Amino acid sequence: MHTELMLTVGQIGVITLLGFLGASIFRKSFRLNWFVGALLLYALYNFLLTRAFFSIPNFPPAAGWNWLGKSMSLAGMLVVASLPVFGVRRTGITHFQLRGSWPAFLLLALLCGFFFYMAVSNADGRDDWETIAFQWTMPGIDEEIFYRGVLLLAMNEAFTARVSIIGTPIGYGGLLTSILFGLAHGMSFGESGFDFDMIAVASTGAPSLLLLWMREKTGSVVLPIIGHNVANGVFTLF
């Protein structure tokens, strides 16, 4: 419990520093209440994802993957998204795609093709059925609804300024969500303190920028969910 709690505090600390750096640059478009809310959302998400920092046993007990934690965090973020201040449509939890979304579909096709190529090229055998079922469902659904849905909305409200990236408005808040996504996969805490696996941070944070672009281009988390689950799941098949 202590390790996961400290890790969450550390990740929030890094994003807090980067957030206030951004606030000093984008003073006129920064809203502190939304930024604090985004940080609290991450704390809540991690609390649920880790099953109260692993104080709650996994279910089913014999499961090799964190089904209960993913289910808890997903349920929690759906409740948050349903609140009037958020709204499921504003958080991207909709099948509706904005007009002119075809470049995002093209990017998704290219990404899926790339990941299938990498999986076949580096084939090491099919995984067990639980791993296949988990990787093709839970990570993409849960993490995209949070990082490119609920958290993105809060961060976009915290940093309202936008820059057009290939015809799609991207804000500093969106960048912070991708950095935090990388930290969630590449930052650790142990006896020697905090540690950063920069390869893991970059290999997850950089692709999440593409998922961010697809989310902002389409107004929906559907394509990011598909891309995320393909990226995770295809390697389980070969």
Side-chain angles (χ1 to χ4, degrees):
M1 178 176 179
H2 172 73
T3 298
E4 289 300 324
L5 177 58
M6 289 301 299
L7 179 57
T8 300
V9 171
Q11 291 163 345
I12 290 176
V14 173
I15 295 302
T16 299
L17 291 175
L18 293 176
F20 283 114
L21 174 63
S24 68
I25 299 172
F26 306 103
R27 293 180 182 178
K28 295 182 178 180
S29 63
F30 175 68
R31 294 192 284 186
L32 179 61
N33 59 330
W34 274 101
F35 182 61
V36 172
L39 298 179
L40 291 175
L41 277 174
Y42 183 73
L44 173 63
Y45 174 78
N46 243 25
F47 177 80
L48 295 172
L49 178 65
T50 59
R51 310 190 308 274
F53 303 119
F54 297 117
S55 62
I56 300 174
N58 195 16
F59 184 85
W65 293 92
N66 186 23
W67 291 95
L68 180 58
K70 284 290 187 184
S71 299
M72 289 172 60
S73 56
L74 175 58
M77 291 308 107
L78 288 175
V79 170
V80 172
S82 69
L83 298 176
V85 71
F86 285 89
V88 292
R89 184 69 174 268
R90 293 184 68 210
T91 52
I93 306 174
T94 174
H95 69 277
F96 178 79
Q97 308 289 300
L98 295 176
R99 182 174 298 179
S101 294
W102 67 265
F105 283 84
L106 176 60
L107 176 58
L108 176 64
L110 292 173
L111 284 175
C112 290
F114 171 76
F115 285 118
F116 268 97
Y117 171 77
M118 292 298 295
V120 172
S121 299
N122 298 279
D124 59 359
R126 184 187 295 268
D127 287 303
D128 61 88
W129 285 109
E130 184 196 349
T131 298
I132 293 173
F134 185 87
Q135 295 297 344
W136 277 99
T137 55
M138 299 305 290
I141 296 173
D142 167 60
E143 293 173 20
E144 293 308 312
I145 285 178
F146 177 64
Y147 286 98
R148 255 67 66 181
V150 173
L151 182 65
L152 177 62
L153 173 59
M155 284 294 192
N156 277 346
E157 291 291 335
F159 297 90
T160 57
R162 300 286 187 276
V163 175
S164 180
I165 306 294
I166 316 179
T168 301
I170 304 293
Y172 187 74
L175 176 62
L176 290 182
T177 64
S178 291
I179 293 174
L180 188 52
F181 186 75
L183 291 175
H185 290 83
M187 185 177 177
S188 59
F189 178 80
E191 294 181 359
S192 59
F194 293 103
D195 188 35
F196 296 86
D197 183 341
M198 296 312 298
I199 294 179
V201 172
S203 63
T204 53
S208 76
L209 289 171
L210 299 179
L211 299 178
L212 168 67
W213 188 87
M214 285 193 286
R215 158 67 174 93
E216 296 286 32
K217 187 68 175 178
T218 64
S220 168
V221 296
V222 169
L223 296 195
I225 287 174
I226 294 172
H228 193 146
N229 278 337
V230 168
N232 279 30
V234 69
F235 292 93
T236 68
L237 302 179
F238 301 97

mmCIF file of all heavy atoms in Angstrom, residues 195-231:
data_model
loop_
_atom_site.group_PDB
_atom_site.id
_atom_site.type_symbol
_atom_site.label_atom_id
_atom_site.label_comp_id
_atom_site.label_asym_id
_atom_site.label_seq_id
_atom_site.Cartn_x
_atom_site.Cartn_y
_atom_site.Cartn_z
ATOM 1 N N ASP A 195 12.114 6.141 -9.359
ATOM 2 C CA ASP A 195 12.935 5.765 -10.508
ATOM 3 C C ASP A 195 12.121 5.951 -11.778
ATOM 4 O O ASP A 195 10.883 5.812 -11.757
ATOM 5 C CB ASP A 195 13.387 4.305 -10.384
ATOM 6 C CG ASP A 195 14.402 3.938 -11.457
ATOM 7 O OD1 ASP A 195 15.224 4.794 -11.825
ATOM 8 O OD2 ASP A 195 14.344 2.796 -11.949
ATOM 9 N N PHE A 196 12.802 6.299 -12.864
ATOM 10 C CA PHE A 196 12.134 6.531 -14.138
ATOM 11 C C PHE A 196 12.734 5.620 -15.200
ATOM 12 O O PHE A 196 13.953 5.656 -15.431
ATOM 13 C CB PHE A 196 12.282 7.993 -14.589
ATOM 14 C CG PHE A 196 11.616 8.980 -13.682
ATOM 15 C CD1 PHE A 196 12.289 9.484 -12.571
ATOM 16 C CD2 PHE A 196 10.324 9.415 -13.933
ATOM 17 C CE1 PHE A 196 11.674 10.400 -11.728
ATOM 18 C CE2 PHE A 196 9.702 10.331 -13.098
ATOM 19 C CZ PHE A 196 10.382 10.822 -12.001
ATOM 20 N N ASP A 197 11.907 4.816 -15.811
ATOM 21 C CA ASP A 197 12.308 4.040 -16.989
ATOM 22 C C ASP A 197 11.931 4.889 -18.194
ATOM 23 O O ASP A 197 10.791 4.858 -18.657
ATOM 24 C CB ASP A 197 11.573 2.694 -17.006
ATOM 25 C CG ASP A 197 11.993 1.806 -18.170
ATOM 26 O OD1 ASP A 197 12.555 2.331 -19.152
ATOM 27 O OD2 ASP A 197 11.726 0.591 -18.114
ATOM 28 N N MET A 198 12.894 5.653 -18.689
ATOM 29 C CA MET A 198 12.584 6.632 -19.726
ATOM 30 C C MET A 198 12.142 5.974 -21.031
ATOM 31 O O MET A 198 11.386 6.574 -21.807
ATOM 32 C CB MET A 198 13.790 7.534 -19.973
ATOM 33 C CG MET A 198 14.165 8.396 -18.773
ATOM 34 S SD MET A 198 12.750 9.271 -18.029
ATOM 35 C CE MET A 198 12.210 10.309 -19.385
ATOM 36 N N ILE A 199 12.591 4.740 -21.278
ATOM 37 C CA ILE A 199 12.134 4.030 -22.472
ATOM 38 C C ILE A 199 10.644 3.730 -22.340
ATOM 39 O O ILE A 199 9.867 3.917 -23.290
ATOM 40 C CB ILE A 199 12.935 2.730 -22.675
ATOM 41 C CG1 ILE A 199 14.392 3.055 -22.982
ATOM 42 C CG2 ILE A 199 12.314 1.892 -23.793
ATOM 43 C CD1 ILE A 199 15.275 1.848 -23.166
ATOM 44 N N ALA A 200 10.221 3.282 -21.162
ATOM 45 C CA ALA A 200 8.801 2.994 -20.937
ATOM 46 C C ALA A 200 7.980 4.273 -20.979
ATOM 47 O O ALA A 200 6.868 4.294 -21.529
ATOM 48 C CB ALA A 200 8.621 2.286 -19.591
ATOM 49 N N VAL A 201 8.499 5.356 -20.401
ATOM 50 C CA VAL A 201 7.786 6.634 -20.424
ATOM 51 C C VAL A 201 7.590 7.101 -21.854
ATOM 52 O O VAL A 201 6.488 7.499 -22.258
ATOM 53 C CB VAL A 201 8.551 7.705 -19.610
ATOM 54 C CG1 VAL A 201 7.912 9.081 -19.806
ATOM 55 C CG2 VAL A 201 8.574 7.346 -18.128
ATOM 56 N N ALA A 202 8.661 7.034 -22.649
ATOM 57 C CA ALA A 202 8.588 7.509 -24.033
ATOM 58 C C ALA A 202 7.745 6.592 -24.916
ATOM 59 O O ALA A 202 6.959 7.063 -25.742
ATOM 60 C CB ALA A 202 10.001 7.635 -24.616
ATOM 61 N N SER A 203 7.882 5.269 -24.720
ATOM 62 C CA SER A 203 7.185 4.320 -25.596
ATOM 63 C C SER A 203 5.687 4.264 -25.328
ATOM 64 O O SER A 203 4.929 3.742 -26.144
ATOM 65 C CB SER A 203 7.788 2.915 -25.447
ATOM 66 O OG SER A 203 7.612 2.427 -24.125
ATOM 67 N N THR A 204 5.254 4.807 -24.195
ATOM 68 C CA THR A 204 3.815 4.897 -23.915
ATOM 69 C C THR A 204 3.315 6.331 -24.048
ATOM 70 O O THR A 204 2.230 6.575 -24.561
ATOM 71 C CB THR A 204 3.492 4.370 -22.508
ATOM 72 O OG1 THR A 204 4.322 5.037 -21.543
ATOM 73 C CG2 THR A 204 3.713 2.878 -22.428
ATOM 74 N N GLY A 205 4.124 7.287 -23.595
ATOM 75 C CA GLY A 205 3.717 8.686 -23.673
ATOM 76 C C GLY A 205 3.627 9.207 -25.092
ATOM 77 O O GLY A 205 2.681 9.933 -25.439
ATOM 78 N N ALA A 206 4.598 8.836 -25.945
ATOM 79 C CA ALA A 206 4.591 9.316 -27.333
ATOM 80 C C ALA A 206 3.386 8.787 -28.123
ATOM 81 O O ALA A 206 2.680 9.573 -28.763
ATOM 82 C CB ALA A 206 5.908 8.950 -28.017
ATOM 83 N N PRO A 207 3.108 7.465 -28.107
ATOM 84 C CA PRO A 207 1.916 6.990 -28.816
ATOM 85 C C PRO A 207 0.624 7.580 -28.268
ATOM 86 O O PRO A 207 -0.346 7.751 -29.008
ATOM 87 C CB PRO A 207 1.962 5.465 -28.593
ATOM 88 C CG PRO A 207 3.393 5.160 -28.350
ATOM 89 C CD PRO A 207 3.913 6.344 -27.601
ATOM 90 N N SER A 208 0.615 7.919 -26.967
ATOM 91 C CA SER A 208 -0.610 8.493 -26.406
ATOM 92 C C SER A 208 -0.892 9.869 -26.995
ATOM 93 O O SER A 208 -2.039 10.323 -26.990
ATOM 94 C CB SER A 208 -0.516 8.574 -24.882
ATOM 95 O OG SER A 208 0.314 9.639 -24.460
ATOM 96 N N LEU A 209 0.143 10.541 -27.522
ATOM 97 C CA LEU A 209 -0.085 11.818 -28.208
ATOM 98 C C LEU A 209 -0.896 11.595 -29.479
ATOM 99 O O LEU A 209 -1.723 12.436 -29.854
ATOM 100 C CB LEU A 209 1.255 12.479 -28.540
ATOM 101 C CG LEU A 209 2.046 13.031 -27.352
ATOM 102 C CD1 LEU A 209 3.433 13.459 -27.799
ATOM 103 C CD2 LEU A 209 1.310 14.190 -26.701
ATOM 104 N N LEU A 210 -0.663 10.464 -30.145
ATOM 105 C CA LEU A 210 -1.451 10.130 -31.340
ATOM 106 C C LEU A 210 -2.900 9.825 -30.951
ATOM 107 O O LEU A 210 -3.838 10.215 -31.651
ATOM 108 C CB LEU A 210 -0.829 8.935 -32.063
ATOM 109 C CG LEU A 210 0.603 9.131 -32.570
ATOM 110 C CD1 LEU A 210 1.112 7.855 -33.236
ATOM 111 C CD2 LEU A 210 0.696 10.310 -33.529
ATOM 112 N N LEU A 211 -3.066 9.115 -29.841
ATOM 113 C CA LEU A 211 -4.424 8.830 -29.355
ATOM 114 C C LEU A 211 -5.126 10.125 -28.946
ATOM 115 O O LEU A 211 -6.325 10.284 -29.177
ATOM 116 C CB LEU A 211 -4.364 7.861 -28.176
ATOM 117 C CG LEU A 211 -3.742 6.492 -28.454
ATOM 118 C CD1 LEU A 211 -3.707 5.651 -27.187
ATOM 119 C CD2 LEU A 211 -4.494 5.760 -29.560
ATOM 120 N N LEU A 212 -4.360 11.040 -28.352
ATOM 121 C CA LEU A 212 -4.906 12.355 -27.994
ATOM 122 C C LEU A 212 -5.385 13.087 -29.242
ATOM 123 O O LEU A 212 -6.476 13.674 -29.251
ATOM 124 C CB LEU A 212 -3.835 13.171 -27.274
ATOM 125 C CG LEU A 212 -4.125 14.662 -27.076
ATOM 126 C CD1 LEU A 212 -5.293 14.864 -26.123
ATOM 127 C CD2 LEU A 212 -2.877 15.385 -26.555
ATOM 128 N N TRP A 213 -4.569 13.059 -30.284
ATOM 129 C CA TRP A 213 -4.941 13.740 -31.533
ATOM 130 C C TRP A 213 -6.215 13.136 -32.120
ATOM 131 O O TRP A 213 -7.107 13.866 -32.557
ATOM 132 C CB TRP A 213 -3.794 13.636 -32.532
ATOM 133 C CG TRP A 213 -4.012 14.463 -33.764
ATOM 134 C CD1 TRP A 213 -3.694 15.782 -33.947
ATOM 135 C CD2 TRP A 213 -4.607 14.022 -34.997
ATOM 136 N NE1 TRP A 213 -4.054 16.192 -35.211
ATOM 137 C CE2 TRP A 213 -4.615 15.134 -35.877
ATOM 138 C CE3 TRP A 213 -5.117 12.809 -35.434
ATOM 139 C CZ2 TRP A 213 -5.126 15.052 -37.171
ATOM 140 C CZ3 TRP A 213 -5.624 12.725 -36.722
ATOM 141 C CH2 TRP A 213 -5.633 13.837 -37.581
ATOM 142 N N MET A 214 -6.308 11.803 -32.107
ATOM 143 C CA MET A 214 -7.518 11.149 -32.616
ATOM 144 C C MET A 214 -8.739 11.525 -31.785
ATOM 145 O O MET A 214 -9.829 11.758 -32.327
ATOM 146 C CB MET A 214 -7.332 9.625 -32.631
ATOM 147 C CG MET A 214 -6.437 9.122 -33.741
ATOM 148 S SD MET A 214 -6.525 7.319 -33.959
ATOM 149 C CE MET A 214 -5.607 6.774 -32.534
ATOM 150 N N ARG A 215 -8.569 11.587 -30.481
ATOM 151 C CA ARG A 215 -9.681 11.957 -29.591
ATOM 152 C C ARG A 215 -10.173 13.382 -29.890
ATOM 153 O O ARG A 215 -11.378 13.629 -29.995
ATOM 154 C CB ARG A 215 -9.212 11.827 -28.143
ATOM 155 C CG ARG A 215 -10.002 12.641 -27.111
ATOM 156 C CD ARG A 215 -11.426 12.139 -26.946
ATOM 157 N NE ARG A 215 -12.092 12.846 -25.873
ATOM 158 C CZ ARG A 215 -12.845 13.938 -26.026
ATOM 159 N NH1 ARG A 215 -13.027 14.459 -27.226
ATOM 160 N NH2 ARG A 215 -13.413 14.522 -24.986
ATOM 161 N N GLU A 216 -9.233 14.309 -30.041
ATOM 162 C CA GLU A 216 -9.619 15.692 -30.296
ATOM 163 C C GLU A 216 -10.168 15.860 -31.718
ATOM 164 O O GLU A 216 -11.059 16.677 -31.942
ATOM 165 C CB GLU A 216 -8.420 16.621 -30.086
ATOM 166 C CG GLU A 216 -7.885 16.652 -28.657
ATOM 167 C CD GLU A 216 -8.778 17.412 -27.695
ATOM 168 O OE1 GLU A 216 -10.014 17.416 -27.874
ATOM 169 O OE2 GLU A 216 -8.240 18.008 -26.743
ATOM 170 N N LYS A 217 -9.670 15.076 -32.645
ATOM 171 C CA LYS A 217 -10.133 15.170 -34.025
ATOM 172 C C LYS A 217 -11.553 14.651 -34.170
ATOM 173 O O LYS A 217 -12.359 15.209 -34.928
ATOM 174 C CB LYS A 217 -9.192 14.379 -34.944
ATOM 175 C CG LYS A 217 -9.484 14.546 -36.439
ATOM 176 C CD LYS A 217 -9.182 15.955 -36.896
ATOM 177 C CE LYS A 217 -9.343 16.116 -38.396
ATOM 178 N NZ LYS A 217 -9.082 17.519 -38.838
ATOM 179 N N THR A 218 -11.871 13.578 -33.465
ATOM 180 C CA THR A 218 -13.170 12.933 -33.624
ATOM 181 C C THR A 218 -14.187 13.352 -32.570
ATOM 182 O O THR A 218 -15.388 13.154 -32.752
ATOM 183 C CB THR A 218 -13.029 11.405 -33.560
ATOM 184 O OG1 THR A 218 -12.559 11.032 -32.251
ATOM 185 C CG2 THR A 218 -12.051 10.897 -34.615
ATOM 186 N N GLY A 219 -13.710 13.886 -31.436
ATOM 187 C CA GLY A 219 -14.608 14.210 -30.344
ATOM 188 C C GLY A 219 -15.090 12.991 -29.584
ATOM 189 O O GLY A 219 -16.041 13.067 -28.812
ATOM 190 N N SER A 220 -14.415 11.862 -29.775
ATOM 191 C CA SER A 220 -14.856 10.601 -29.181
ATOM 192 C C SER A 220 -13.651 9.763 -28.765
ATOM 193 O O SER A 220 -12.570 9.865 -29.359
ATOM 194 C CB SER A 220 -15.700 9.821 -30.197
ATOM 195 O OG SER A 220 -15.920 8.482 -29.784
ATOM 196 N N VAL A 221 -13.844 8.914 -27.756
ATOM 197 C CA VAL A 221 -12.771 8.015 -27.328
ATOM 198 C C VAL A 221 -12.824 6.679 -28.055
ATOM 199 O O VAL A 221 -11.996 5.799 -27.800
ATOM 200 C CB VAL A 221 -12.822 7.763 -25.797
ATOM 201 C CG1 VAL A 221 -12.576 9.045 -25.034
ATOM 202 C CG2 VAL A 221 -14.142 7.107 -25.384
ATOM 203 N N VAL A 222 -13.758 6.509 -28.991
ATOM 204 C CA VAL A 222 -13.923 5.212 -29.660
ATOM 205 C C VAL A 222 -12.657 4.810 -30.401
ATOM 206 O O VAL A 222 -12.150 3.684 -30.236
ATOM 207 C CB VAL A 222 -15.129 5.232 -30.616
ATOM 208 C CG1 VAL A 222 -15.130 3.981 -31.491
ATOM 209 C CG2 VAL A 222 -16.434 5.308 -29.831
ATOM 210 N N LEU A 223 -12.125 5.674 -31.259
ATOM 211 C CA LEU A 223 -10.918 5.309 -32.013
ATOM 212 C C LEU A 223 -9.716 5.110 -31.095
ATOM 213 O O LEU A 223 -8.956 4.146 -31.296
ATOM 214 C CB LEU A 223 -10.614 6.355 -33.084
ATOM 215 C CG LEU A 223 -11.637 6.521 -34.207
ATOM 216 C CD1 LEU A 223 -11.027 7.322 -35.365
ATOM 217 C CD2 LEU A 223 -12.163 5.190 -34.710
ATOM 218 N N PRO A 224 -9.495 5.973 -30.096
ATOM 219 C CA PRO A 224 -8.405 5.685 -29.163
ATOM 220 C C PRO A 224 -8.545 4.347 -28.442
ATOM 221 O O PRO A 224 -7.555 3.646 -28.232
ATOM 222 C CB PRO A 224 -8.483 6.862 -28.183
ATOM 223 C CG PRO A 224 -9.035 7.979 -28.987
ATOM 224 C CD PRO A 224 -10.042 7.326 -29.891
ATOM 225 N N ILE A 225 -9.765 3.965 -28.082
ATOM 226 C CA ILE A 225 -9.974 2.663 -27.428
ATOM 227 C C ILE A 225 -9.579 1.532 -28.371
ATOM 228 O O ILE A 225 -8.874 0.594 -27.979
ATOM 229 C CB ILE A 225 -11.444 2.503 -26.982
ATOM 230 C CG1 ILE A 225 -11.736 3.381 -25.771
ATOM 231 C CG2 ILE A 225 -11.751 1.036 -26.641
ATOM 232 C CD1 ILE A 225 -13.197 3.396 -25.355
ATOM 233 N N ILE A 226 -10.007 1.627 -29.611
ATOM 234 C CA ILE A 226 -9.667 0.584 -30.584
ATOM 235 C C ILE A 226 -8.161 0.515 -30.784
ATOM 236 O O ILE A 226 -7.551 -0.568 -30.742
ATOM 237 C CB ILE A 226 -10.375 0.846 -31.927
ATOM 238 C CG1 ILE A 226 -11.891 0.717 -31.760
ATOM 239 C CG2 ILE A 226 -9.875 -0.135 -32.995
ATOM 240 C CD1 ILE A 226 -12.678 1.141 -32.980
ATOM 241 N N GLY A 227 -7.538 1.665 -31.008
ATOM 242 C CA GLY A 227 -6.094 1.686 -31.215
ATOM 243 C C GLY A 227 -5.324 1.166 -30.023
ATOM 244 O O GLY A 227 -4.349 0.409 -30.173
ATOM 245 N N HIS A 228 -5.749 1.552 -28.836
ATOM 246 C CA HIS A 228 -5.085 1.115 -27.612
ATOM 247 C C HIS A 228 -5.190 -0.393 -27.436
ATOM 248 O O HIS A 228 -4.196 -1.067 -27.144
ATOM 249 C CB HIS A 228 -5.740 1.835 -26.427
ATOM 250 C CG HIS A 228 -4.974 1.726 -25.142
ATOM 251 N ND1 HIS A 228 -4.946 2.729 -24.211
ATOM 252 C CD2 HIS A 228 -4.220 0.717 -24.622
ATOM 253 C CE1 HIS A 228 -4.216 2.362 -23.180
ATOM 254 N NE2 HIS A 228 -3.759 1.125 -23.404
ATOM 255 N N ASN A 229 -6.381 -0.943 -27.634
ATOM 256 C CA ASN A 229 -6.560 -2.381 -27.441
ATOM 257 C C ASN A 229 -5.857 -3.200 -28.509
ATOM 258 O O ASN A 229 -5.373 -4.299 -28.228
ATOM 259 C CB ASN A 229 -8.050 -2.725 -27.398
ATOM 260 C CG ASN A 229 -8.660 -2.474 -26.026
ATOM 261 O OD1 ASN A 229 -7.959 -2.451 -25.021
ATOM 262 N ND2 ASN A 229 -9.959 -2.283 -25.975
ATOM 263 N N VAL A 230 -5.791 -2.683 -29.727
ATOM 264 C CA VAL A 230 -5.022 -3.377 -30.762
ATOM 265 C C VAL A 230 -3.542 -3.394 -30.382
ATOM 266 O O VAL A 230 -2.871 -4.431 -30.482
ATOM 267 C CB VAL A 230 -5.224 -2.718 -32.139
ATOM 268 C CG1 VAL A 230 -4.209 -3.263 -33.149
ATOM 269 C CG2 VAL A 230 -6.641 -2.967 -32.648
ATOM 270 N N ALA A 231 -3.031 -2.232 -29.946
ATOM 271 C CA ALA A 231 -1.618 -2.142 -29.571
ATOM 272 C C ALA A 231 -1.281 -3.115 -28.444
ATOM 273 O O ALA A 231 -0.204 -3.724 -28.431
ATOM 274 C CB ALA A 231 -1.279 -0.716 -29.155
#
